[in-house]
Amino acid sequence: MTTVDRPGAVGQDGTAADEAAGWRFPVWRSVVLGVALLALLGGSLGYVLHARERGGAHREVAADASFALDRPGLYYRDAASGRVAREGGPVGGPSCERFYAGGERALCLRALPGTPVRTEAVVYDREFTRLQSVVVPGVPNRARVSASGNLLSWTAFAVGDSYAVSGFSTRTSVLDLRSGYLIKSIEDIPLTVDGVRYHAADVNYWGVGFAADDNRFYATVSTRGRTHLVEGDLAGWSARTLRENVECPSLSPDGTRLAFKKKVSDDPAAPWRLYVLDLADLREHPLAETRSVDDQAAWLDGDTLGYALPAGSGRGSDLWTVPADGTGAPALRVPGASSPVAVRT
Amino acid sequence: MYLATTGRRPDAPSRPRTGAGRRVPGTVLALGAVSLVTDVSSEMVTAVLPLYLVLGLGLSPLQFGFLDGLFNGATALVRLLGGRLADRGGGRHKAVAGAGYLLSALSRLGLLLAGGAATGIAAALAADRLGKGVRTAPRDALISLSTPPADLGRAFGVHRAMDTTGALLGPLAAFAVLWAAADAYDAVFVVSFATGLLGVLVLVLFVRDGAGAGTPAGPAARADRPTVRQLLREPALRRITGAAALLGAATVGDSFLYLLLQRVLGLPPEVFPLLPLGSAACYLLLAVPAGRLADRTGRRAPFLAGHLALLAGYLLLLVPAGWATLALVLVLLGVFYAATDGVLMALAGPVLPAAGRAGALAVVQTGQALARLVGAAGFGAAWTWWGTRPALAAAALALAAALLAARRVLPEGKVS
């Protein structure tokens, strides 16, 4: 505001006539501005303090000492507290935006405060002892752990490096706990599309799911406006596309089927529907859930899928389940929850 | 309607001072303050919006991208409307610009009240873009009408420097609010709303309308107000718009350049969000000197030199050499904006009829903006089909050709 209050700066239009007439400080206008400034400042400060009092957004909370992945069951993120909870049990886990677990490891994605947005991926053991953490740019988006707990993968949604007018960009990382090797972005993996080696600047990966051999993985690759199901080989450092229009694949416990979301509509309000793909004959069938699901579905057992849907209230999400064979009907499992994972012992 | 006939009022008394000691008109400083405060307000929201929409509301990246890009193209066309409205009745620049600023400020409340509803958020974002589109041309017309033609480069330089200062402060303000409010996004919207209102208030209190500040006043101006079609028959406007559009179509877009820098130099992703800050800081430092230079040499030369700097940036990216390339490209991009953005308005302003100034500037800006969209889309396609280096080489060739053509088409823009 200093520029405005500078004598000789305000209230004249720069002609010499005005200057010759002598410039007068705009007293009343400055008083009005001063009063308004104080009122707006006071109001803003009041709201900020109120928000702080209310608790702001979710603060980072560590897990309670009594909380562990020690019992089999359904674990999820509780929308109200932002913390990990067990179905029928207490809300005692760490605060995470996305959560998943497998074997002896759990993965928690957290948005670091401030701008630009960064994601912290934290690796825990079953007692929620913090083992390792990696910080990547972007907004937390997907988290997966292989069944053994050896491989972890996460996707962050990067804002600002997309060159298309309305595009977005993702960065998917894979961490191998056996070697400690971290692949910060799997975009460099040699990709074969429809049998031909493929090069393009706009390749994006997201939604990795691991096979039981801790080497093979499935993921979405997007390029030139289309999405493909890709099968990757970490040891062989190669990837090839299997099929078009498959996003966020999730491999069944027996490794024979893939649950995924398929884009069925150009309506941005409801673009997807859940499908299951049979890997033996590459045939797919829609599930009984007809609403648009934007989540990487999780296999709660060999026959049931769990996923989050926006809550009716407009805030947060609810956890639903649906049979994997296309029969039955979706059922509300846990209100106010997301990031489902079935923990076995 | 050329410089000789419209540029200087015959009754204008000689200026008391010349050179560096000359003052920038109060209206320009006030408009600069308005832009500064408004940019703090809008960049605050831009900084937290992705996080709020994706994490706070659970929008998918696809939906976010859709919302974000929804009204970008429309802004360019809304500018024409804003310019036309502002010229009505012999100069309603202040009222139209004020309405635009107010609409953008109110859109923050819309974000707050929309809660989780995607339609509400889309409406709020649309209101913000609408406000931005409407206010740009009348604001630039006000600057150009309240400044003696010979000082326009400097006036626009000062305005753009203040504007960029606001853009740089915005994310910092958002950071401070998030820190103080324990990560509550709604607090950012409230503070942004208050800041936006403050900008509107500064405009209302301290900006004088164009009618009293240089427009040939009286009912004659009203009758003379040209339509867009008539404006387009104006040879000077056609030449300036044509040259700006030609050069605009040969630019590849900033995000592409940043992405190229990252790919070519293998920059760590953490550095990426900082790249625009580098060129913005350079723009901020150079906007005023470039404007003054433009006043002295005529505006065509700096405008073309700015594009030459961009061309040099393209060529540097073809022969990457590490951190030196990074620094040079960012500086060149800053030079490009400093020497072209305000300078183009300074070049166009005096040549265009005062009664239709806002509408005419809107035509220039819209032509340039649409051409840049086409240029970015074309480069995106070239990159995808041919790969980085051939696409960049093609862009450099196109820019060189456009520069040669623009040099013939563009009027010199020298006033004194």
Side-chain angles (χ1 to χ4, degrees):
Chain A
M1 296 316 307
T2 52
T3 46
V4 174
D5 295 334
R6 210 178 81 198
V10 178
Q12 51 146 320
D13 61 18
T15 61
D18 274 9
E19 286 182 4
W23 179 84
R24 259 175 286 163
F25 188 77
V27 179
W28 287 111
R29 294 170 184 203
S30 302
V31 169
V32 171
L33 183 70
V35 169
L37 185 67
L38 285 179
L40 291 172
L41 211 64
S44 300
L45 196 66
Y47 195 94
V48 166
L49 291 178
H50 158 75
R52 187 194 185 93
E53 196 73 14
R54 190 191 64 200
H58 299 305
R59 300 265 64 187
E60 186 186 333
V61 180
D64 297 343
S66 59
F67 190 88
L69 300 177
D70 50 357
R71 272 177 256 186
L74 175 65
Y75 288 71
Y76 56 85
R77 174 186 186 265
D78 174 56
S81 63
R83 300 176 68 181
V84 175
R86 192 183 69 243
E87 188 181 25
V91 177
S95 53
C96 305
E97 249 78 49
R98 300 270 172 176
F99 176 74
Y100 203 80
E104 295 301 311
R105 297 291 177 259
L107 175 63
C108 171
L109 302 190
R110 195 173 283 147
L112 292 179
T115 57
V117 190
R118 291 168 303 154
T119 292
E120 185 187 31
V122 186
V123 184
Y124 291 107
D125 64 11
R126 278 181 175 246
E127 278 69 49
F128 288 103
T129 312
R130 200 182 161 104
L131 301 178
Q132 192 176 343
S133 97
V134 179
V135 175
V136 293
V139 180
N141 190 238
R142 300 279 179 244
R144 275 297 187 265
V145 182
S146 71
S148 66
N150 287 328
L151 291 175
L152 303 97
S153 173
W154 57 88
T155 301
F157 157 44
V159 190
D161 70 342
S162 148
Y163 54 80
V165 178
S166 63
F168 66 93
S169 158
T170 58
R171 232 174 250 118
T172 294
S173 310
V174 171
L175 175 62
D176 188 340
L177 290 178
R178 294 166 298 187
S179 60
Y181 187 66
L182 169 70
I183 304 159
K184 271 202 169 178
S185 167
I186 59 171
E187 276 175 27
D188 298 329
I189 197 166
L191 174 67
T192 306
V193 173
D194 301 330
V196 183
R197 177 77 173 84
Y198 185 80
H199 302 271
D202 69 344
V203 166
N204 272 307
Y205 283 82
W206 65 86
V208 165
F210 295 106
D213 63 1
D214 276 346
N215 176 49
R216 221 156 24 92
F217 70 90
Y218 294 92
T220 319
V221 68
S222 144
T223 177
R224 293 181 191 172
R226 292 188 297 188
T227 59
H228 304 263
L229 171 66
V230 68
E231 186 186 49
D233 179 337
L234 285 174
W237 197 237
S238 67
R240 63 189 178 105
T241 59
L242 297 181
R243 194 179 180 80
E244 227 185 278
N245 196 1
V246 171
E247 290 181 61
C248 295
S250 190
L251 194 62
S252 64
D254 62 4
T256 61
R257 289 155 297 160
L258 274 179
F260 66 99
K261 63 186 178 97
K262 177 175 178 170
K263 199 175 173 209
V264 292
S265 162
D266 283 327
D267 174 12
W272 292 293
R273 184 157 176 192
L274 279 184
Y275 273 71
V276 164
L277 174 74
D278 210 320
L279 284 172
D281 53 9
L282 289 183
R283 288 207 334 209
E284 62 182 33
H285 61 267
L287 301 189
E289 175 61 82
T290 55
R291 289 167 292 181
S292 181
V293 175
D294 176 22
D295 196 9
Q296 189 166 15
W299 293 81
L300 302 187
D301 54 49
D303 305 313
T304 315
L305 288 160
Y307 51 91
L309 266 179
S313 63
R315 289 250 164 199
S317 59
D318 296 333
L319 220 167
W320 292 73
T321 59
V322 71
D325 60 2
T327 64
L332 177 63
R333 180 78 172 259
V334 187
S338 60
S339 288
V341 55
V343 170
R344 292 164 258 271
T345 40
Chain B
M1 296 288 242
Y2 235 105
L3 290 176
T5 57
T6 61
R8 301 174 78 171
R9 281 166 292 156
D11 58 335
S14 60
R15 279 177 299 276
R17 274 158 291 181
T18 54
R22 223 146 55 189
R23 276 185 194 153
V24 173
T27 297
V28 173
L29 288 180
L31 281 170
V34 173
S35 289
L36 191 157
V37 172
T38 306
D39 258 30
V40 170
S41 164
S42 65
E43 292 299 320
M44 277 179 85
V45 170
T46 308
V48 301
L49 203 57
L51 194 65
Y52 172 70
L53 293 182
V54 175
L55 278 190
L57 301 180
L59 245 62
S60 71
L62 183 77
Q63 285 170 308
F64 172 76
F66 178 81
L67 276 180
D68 197 42
L70 192 51
F71 310 103
N72 259 341
T75 325
L77 297 172
V78 171
R79 270 186 205 182
L80 290 176
L81 179 78
R84 182 109 187 91
L85 282 175
D87 286 334
R88 202 168 234 175
R92 282 192 199 159
H93 303 87
K94 184 175 163 180
V96 174
Y101 282 113
L102 188 64
L103 192 59
S104 290
L106 289 176
S107 75
R108 321 282 185 247
L109 276 192
L111 277 179
L112 192 69
L113 298 176
T119 42
I121 291 163
L125 292 180
D128 179 43
R129 301 273 153 88
L130 193 70
K132 196 173 167 51
V134 161
R135 73 191 178 224
T136 310
R139 181 200 63 204
D140 283 350
L142 267 178
I143 296 175
S144 116
L145 288 172
S146 55
T147 309
D151 297 341
L152 268 180
R154 195 160 108 105
F156 274 105
V158 168
H159 175 267
R160 296 301 197 260
M162 292 174 83
D163 188 87
T164 309
T165 306
L168 285 173
L169 290 178
L172 288 178
F175 190 89
V177 170
L178 279 182
W179 174 78
D183 288 340
Y185 307 120
D186 49 344
V188 175
F189 298 146
V190 168
V191 175
S192 165
F193 169 66
T195 316
L197 274 191
L198 190 70
V200 175
L201 206 67
V202 173
L203 179 93
V204 169
L205 290 174
F206 296 103
V207 172
R208 288 219 188 152
D209 211 332
T215 324
R222 221 160 291 179
D224 281 350
R225 178 171 55 95
T227 62
V228 169
R229 198 174 298 159
Q230 282 169 337
L231 279 171
L232 281 174
R233 261 186 243 130
E234 190 86 37
L237 180 64
R238 279 163 66 162
R239 286 166 68 181
I240 293 173
T241 310
L246 198 63
L247 287 166
T251 56
V252 305
D254 295 356
S255 2
F256 269 126
L257 279 189
Y258 298 137
L259 205 56
L260 278 168
L261 269 177
Q262 193 197 11
R263 298 266 162 118
V264 167
L265 301 176
L267 297 179
E270 293 80 14
V271 178
F272 192 81
L274 303 176
L275 297 182
L277 294 185
S279 54
C282 186
Y283 177 23
L284 172 64
L285 289 175
L286 294 177
V288 179
R292 284 179 57 184
L293 184 75
D295 287 341
R296 211 168 304 154
T297 63
R299 279 117 201 183
R300 185 179 70 173
F303 186 73
L304 294 176
H307 283 90
L308 215 54
L310 188 65
L311 180 61
Y314 294 176
L315 295 177
L316 269 177
L317 277 169
L318 282 169
V319 281
W323 293 98
T325 306
L326 176 71
L328 269 172
V329 169
L330 291 184
V331 167
L332 286 169
L333 198 58
V335 169
F336 164 63
Y337 277 110
T340 58
D341 190 28
V343 170
L344 178 64
M345 294 295 104
L347 171 71
V351 194
L352 304 169
R357 186 75 51 93
L361 290 183
V363 168
V364 177
Q365 290 169 346
T366 302
Q368 188 184 39
L370 290 180
R372 279 187 177 162
L373 269 179
V374 171
F379 185 74
W383 183 346
T384 307
W385 295 111
W386 302 339
T388 317
R389 289 177 62 89
L392 199 58
L397 273 178
L399 185 56
L403 259 169
L404 286 177
R407 197 168 151 241
R408 297 184 66 95
V409 175
L410 210 58
E412 207 177 73
K414 195 167 168 70
V415 174
S416 45

